[in-house]
């Protein structure tokens, strides 16, 4: 990959941005309905990068992100990412999150225990909240204890997290109150 550069692209869920360096993808901005807001955020987040036509390997990742947001499961475990400057604890969290298979989930506590930091579930959540490459590091696959939703700092919040999990087959549509049909007033009487 050459770089640094970034691209803004449309998905079924809104505009996204992706930045890359010579070492791999170094940033992703999650779908947002306002393309201008995504462009402004990209310029703030990656001031050394220029808006460029992506190299073929980045274009392939962009195509997969588009497919995922359109409802086709994708796994990004083999995508080269550049986590230079990311502290060791966060890197361990991201490495473990990348190892969660598509269609499966872990809890924040599970991740903490598996990286050798039992009791650090809150720190895991904070690390995932600072994830520079969401979707490529699938922080949406990490839930709160007991399978509760937990947080999600990307635009769309928890609803976006649940939508991604539903696309990947980790949650059945009927388990998602956000997408479940509403009972009619007649059936509630």
């Amino acid at each position: 990959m050459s770089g640094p550069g970034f691209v803004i692209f449309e998905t079924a869920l809104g505009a996204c941005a992706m930045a890359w360096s010579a070492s791999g993808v170094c940033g992703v901005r999650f779908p947002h309905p306002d393309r201008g807001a995504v462009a402004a955020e990209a310029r703030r987040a990656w001031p050394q990068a220029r808006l460029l036509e992506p190299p073929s390997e980045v274009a392939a990742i962009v195509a997969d992100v588009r497919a995922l947001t359109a409802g086709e499961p994708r796994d990004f475990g083999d995508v080269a990412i550049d986590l230079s400057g990311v502290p060791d604890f966060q890197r361990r969290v991201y490495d473990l999150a990348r190892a969660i298979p598509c269609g499966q989930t872990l809890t924040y506590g599970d991740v903490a225990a598996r990286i050798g930091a039992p009791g650090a579930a809150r720190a895991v959540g904070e690390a995932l909240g600072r994830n520079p490459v969401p979707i490529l590091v699938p922080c949406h696959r990490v839930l709160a204890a007991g399978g509760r939703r937990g947080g999600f700092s990307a635009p769309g919040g928890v609803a976006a997290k649940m939508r991604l999990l539903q696309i990947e087959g980790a949650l059945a549509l009927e388990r998602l109150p956000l997408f479940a049909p509403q009972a009619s007033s007649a059936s509630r009487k």
Side-chain angles (χ1 to χ4, degrees):
M1 288 185 196
S2 61
F6 73 94
V7 63
I8 299 168
F9 56 99
E10 294 297 326
T11 73
L13 300 178
C16 288
M18 184 176 295
W20 64 91
S21 70
S23 301
V25 176
C26 57
V28 173
R29 290 300 176 263
F30 202 70
H32 191 281
D34 183 348
R35 185 180 179 93
V38 172
E41 173 59 24
R43 287 186 177 89
R44 277 191 303 276
W46 312 307
Q48 280 74 29
R50 295 181 309 134
L51 183 60
L52 298 171
E53 192 67 33
S56 61
E57 55 270 277
V58 173
I61 300 164
V62 165
D64 281 342
V65 169
R66 283 182 172 138
L68 175 68
T69 63
E72 299 175 30
R74 291 290 192 270
D75 190 71
F76 298 94
D78 62 345
V79 170
I81 58 174
D82 179 356
L83 294 176
S84 57
V86 171
D88 180 63
F89 179 83
Q90 285 177 240
R91 188 182 302 263
R92 290 186 297 143
V93 169
Y94 301 158
D95 287 345
L96 184 11
R98 289 189 88 192
I100 301 169
C102 185
Q104 296 183 25
T105 62
L106 291 176
T107 66
Y108 298 108
D110 292 335
V111 172
R114 290 182 185 194
I115 64 168
R122 183 177 303 268
V124 166
E126 290 170 2
L128 292 171
R130 290 190 288 272
N131 178 3
V133 285
I135 298 178
L136 305 184
V137 169
C139 50
H140 60 278
R141 295 180 188 159
V142 184
L143 303 172
R148 292 186 325 268
R149 297 171 180 176
F152 198 57
S153 58
V158 174
K161 178 178 188 169
M162 295 295 103
R163 177 68 180 136
L164 289 170
L165 290 173
Q166 191 269 324
I167 288 168
E168 293 180 348
L171 295 176
L173 186 59
E174 61 273 7
R175 287 186 51 200
L176 296 177
L178 178 67
F179 301 106
Q182 297 297 314
S184 71
S185 58
S187 66
R188 284 186 255 152
K189 292 181 179 176

